[in-house]
DNA sequence: TTTATTAATCGTAAAGTTACGATAAAAAGA
DNA sequence: TCTTTTTATCGTAACTTTACGATTAATAAA
């Protein structure tokens, strides 16, 4: 099918999966890494940073915007992108909760 | 195409994306959440926890095993699953580095 | 030995993802 | 106004993912 049964899971679970999806492709990891390393908006040069075509990069940026983890603002002929601090924190919180839940014991395989 | 150009990115970037992929589907989030909440291996009843068929769950478990974040051990007719502590830590480290890199400033959109 | 039980694998259908070139749109600059 | 620059969108191809039922394999239980 290729269709994820989102309606069968709780909203938190789905949101967690969606936020993880932002980081689940090397191009998006590279984009987010690039943006998070800057102290201000990045205008224009994201495509030059990636080994992919302009349309493909644009598609990945669209997906990141859909998830909400980045914001884009039109600045003349260019577009300025940056991390959305609130969603970034939301993601961080989700992952922290996830990782903190596991406590290793020796009762295991 | 649907084929990710893994060869165009650094190994760290690709590994980071792969680890995120473990959390990028609600079924896998639910499985990992279930396993990380247990103090020992979970034998058998993962399928009952999920609103998906046995074969679909098995497929997700296979993917998680491929990534390395869970381990499976045969125990009679059942299989016991648990989180792989080392890979769990590896993922935690990757995400911590990722999230810590971004420092919010007011110079932005 | 025969019969459950449990999980993996197979086959397959449907939908999603990734990628690119071409085209369109929008604004700046000549 | 015309051209250039930049990004989004369209169209499309190829591959991947998700999902399920059916089957197989392996072990335990009767």
């Amino acid at each position: 099918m290729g269709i994820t049964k989102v309606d069968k899971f709780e909203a938190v679970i789905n949101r967690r999966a969606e936020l993880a999806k932002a980081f689940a492709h090397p191009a998006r990891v590279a984009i987010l890494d690039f943006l998070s390393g800057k102290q201000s908006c990045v205008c224009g040069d994201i495509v030059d940073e990636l080994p992919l075509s302009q349309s493909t990069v644009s598609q990945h940026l669209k997906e990141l915007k859909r998830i909400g983890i980045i914001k884009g603002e039109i600045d003349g002929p260019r577009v300025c992108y940056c991390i959305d601090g609130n969603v970034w924190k939301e993601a961080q919180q989700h992952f922290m909760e996830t990782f903190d839940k596991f406590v290793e014991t020796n009762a295991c395989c």
Side-chain angles (χ1 to χ4, degrees), chain A:
Chain A
M1 291 167 183
I3 190 161
T4 299
K5 298 201 160 174
V6 160
D7 51 300
K8 303 262 185 173
F9 295 93
E10 287 173 42
V12 198
I13 299 281
N14 286 321
R15 181 58 176 160
R16 207 163 272 197
E18 190 168 61
L19 288 166
K21 211 179 151 194
F23 298 92
H25 188 282
R28 295 196 292 269
V29 170
I31 290 170
L32 292 170
D33 186 61
F34 180 61
L35 288 180
S36 65
K38 301 286 169 177
Q39 292 303 304
S40 61
C41 296
V42 174
C43 299
D45 37 30
I46 295 176
V47 173
D48 309 327
E49 295 289 321
L50 296 176
L52 297 169
S53 76
Q54 183 268 319
S55 55
T56 302
V57 174
S58 185
Q59 209 169 213
H60 282 296
L61 289 167
K62 192 181 179 184
E63 174 67 3
L64 292 171
K65 270 193 282 185
R66 190 191 62 78
I67 294 166
I69 204 159
I70 68 167
K71 292 185 285 189
E73 236 174 40
I74 293 161
D75 171 45
R78 294 159 180 260
V79 179
C80 289
Y81 284 105
C82 65
I83 301 287
D84 184 315
N86 292 324
V87 181
W88 192 260
K89 274 173 216 146
E90 184 198 352
Q92 186 170 26
Q93 193 63 40
H94 273 294
F95 279 109
M96 268 176 56
E97 276 173 29
T98 297
F99 287 117
D100 287 350
K101 191 169 180 183
F102 174 69
V103 184
E104 208 166 12
T105 59
N106 47 13
C108 231
C109 355

